[in-house]
Amino acid sequence: MKITLLPNIRLGVVPTHLRFVGGLVPDESGKYPRDAAGEIRVVAGVKELCAMSPVKFSCVQVSFFPGTDAAEIDALVAGLKALDLEVDFILMVGGVNPMDPADEDAVVAQLVPTLKAAIAHGARNVSSTSIEEWMSTEARRDGAELEAAIAQNVKVHLRAYQEAGLAGSCVDNWHIEYLRPGEFKTFTNLERGWAFVSAANKALGAKFFKLLVDAAHCGDSGVPLAENVALVARIAAAGELGIFHASAKTTRGCLSTDDGWIGALLTAVAQTGELRQVFVEVFDHTDPALEALRKLDPGHGIDTRDGRSYNQVVADGLADIAHRLNNLAARGML
């Protein structure tokens, strides 16, 4: 049965279920993995998802890694746009610490090319987890050290903003995502992520940076649901609420494993009047790139497919979120 999305919300996917290794991550020469027919695997996978999804989705949020060949990015974006999808960029940064002044030039050097690519391809939104190094061994920063980390991040991101030429470009907003404790040590909850976004916007003099709300990270942050809901309202009132990720805490698999966090937070965001974009995000529980995450929390390695393919799991997630959005609209919240 087909589902018609009623509210004016951009519904899409983050195709991480197609795997980083063997999918989203380019090889040493910057080329994307391709299938036997020569098609970029991510494009082929999203094409299959479009055919099986009971609701038409309008956008896709794709991870872009430094060093990817420019022609490959062109081919990937063209392939996705040919499916009638708007393409958002997720800027990936690795092997550097955005909180360390010694790494400032290296962080900016990774961000600027992908920001310029986003502009070249007409992206309206970019997102990133570029405020901290993933799975770093450094200690959590608090107090004055936290303030210094925020200040350094503001410096880094404003440099990238200026050097990439974001002012007056097609990019409307840069959405910042924090991660769960363990993946990150310092920016591990809504409040801490918002502290950076607020400081960056104050320094820039515009509400350009937004805080991405991921239900999985909220659920794994250690902050109670009620506190997250209250924070969502405050962030929205400040004009700094961004994209919503419908993703299940701990497993990052089927949305049925979320223990109520997606529904509660989606409703909270809808009630602010600031919900614009919702992306379904699922990870492959065997992806070699996420072995460190499985070691951090064995729950991430649970197979939640219940006999389905990962594309079917995501298609079911899109159906679930479409029904939720339609019913939020029916109840006057959208």
Side-chain angles (χ1 to χ4, degrees):
M1 178 181 141
K2 292 294 183 182
I3 305 167
T4 300
L5 186 64
L6 301 178
N8 184 26
I9 299 293
R10 293 173 68 224
L11 175 62
V13 296
V14 185
T16 44
H17 67 287
L18 300 175
R19 298 164 64 111
F20 287 103
V21 174
L24 292 161
V25 178
D27 64 18
E28 298 81 4
S29 60
K31 308 293 186 182
Y32 286 120
R34 295 175 183 263
D35 62 17
E39 188 169 27
I40 293 174
R41 285 182 181 172
V42 171
V43 174
V46 173
K47 183 186 296 183
E48 180 184 80
L49 178 62
C50 288
M52 67 171 51
S53 176
V55 59
K56 178 176 171 52
F57 56 97
S58 60
C59 45
V60 60
Q61 226 186 5
V62 183
S63 303
F64 287 95
F65 292 84
T68 305
D69 184 84
E72 290 289 284
I73 295 177
D74 293 347
L76 177 66
V77 173
L80 294 171
K81 286 185 175 180
L83 300 174
D84 194 25
L85 296 171
E86 184 172 354
V87 181
D88 283 1
F89 279 51
I90 301 177
L91 318 177
M92 306 302 288
V93 174
V96 288
N97 182 0
M99 301 185 290
D100 186 347
D103 282 0
E104 180 179 323
D105 289 344
V107 177
V108 173
Q110 290 190 27
L111 286 171
V112 169
T114 43
L115 286 169
K116 286 183 175 179
I119 295 169
H121 289 286
R124 288 192 291 167
N125 293 277
V126 296
S127 301
S128 68
T129 57
S130 53
I131 50 176
E132 190 169 338
E133 186 176 6
W134 188 64
M135 302 296 285
S136 166
T137 57
E138 81 158 34
R140 173 185 169 102
R141 299 192 184 193
D142 291 297
E145 290 185 343
L146 173 60
E147 293 304 314
I150 291 171
Q152 180 60 27
N153 262 312
V154 169
K155 187 179 179 186
V156 165
H157 287 77
L158 262 61
R159 260 193 68 186
Y161 174 95
Q162 292 157 357
E163 293 180 23
L166 286 175
S169 75
C170 57
V171 178
D172 295 327
N173 293 113
W174 186 341
H175 302 258
I176 298 294
E177 182 178 7
Y178 70 90
L179 299 182
R180 59 175 292 173
E183 290 186 79
F184 279 1
K185 303 295 192 304
T186 294
F187 294 100
T188 55
N189 58 45
L190 274 182
E191 190 164 28
R192 283 174 167 248
W194 185 26
F196 162 73
V197 166
S198 179
N201 285 335
K202 184 176 180 181
L204 186 62
K207 303 285 188 180
F208 180 76
F209 292 93
K210 304 285 185 178
L211 186 63
L212 189 153
V213 177
D214 185 306
H217 298 318
C218 289
D220 286 323
S221 68
V223 178
L225 177 58
E227 289 185 32
N228 279 281
V229 168
L231 275 164
V232 162
R234 289 171 55 202
I235 295 165
E240 294 172 329
L241 188 66
I243 287 168
F244 183 82
H245 277 181
S247 193
K249 72 183 185 70
T250 308
T251 68
R252 306 309 300 273
C254 178
L255 302 196
S256 66
T257 66
D258 82 317
D259 298 331
W261 282 80
I262 292 172
L265 287 170
L266 183 61
T267 298
V269 174
Q271 288 176 320
T272 70
E274 296 297 318
L275 181 62
R276 303 284 183 269
Q277 304 161 93
V278 179
F279 290 88
V280 172
E281 183 180 34
V282 170
F283 290 131
D284 184 322
H285 71 289
T286 65
D287 190 338
L290 303 175
E291 178 61 28
L293 193 50
R294 291 189 288 275
K295 289 179 179 176
L296 174 69
D297 188 335
H300 190 81
I302 294 172
D303 185 354
T304 65
R305 292 173 296 173
D306 200 23
R308 298 165 291 174
S309 69
Y310 265 111
N311 256 349
Q312 188 61 58
V313 171
V314 174
D316 290 346
L318 285 163
D320 175 81
I321 296 302
H323 282 308
R324 290 180 186 274
L325 292 170
N326 283 349
N327 283 313
L328 285 167
R331 292 185 286 157
M333 298 181 202
L334 284 176

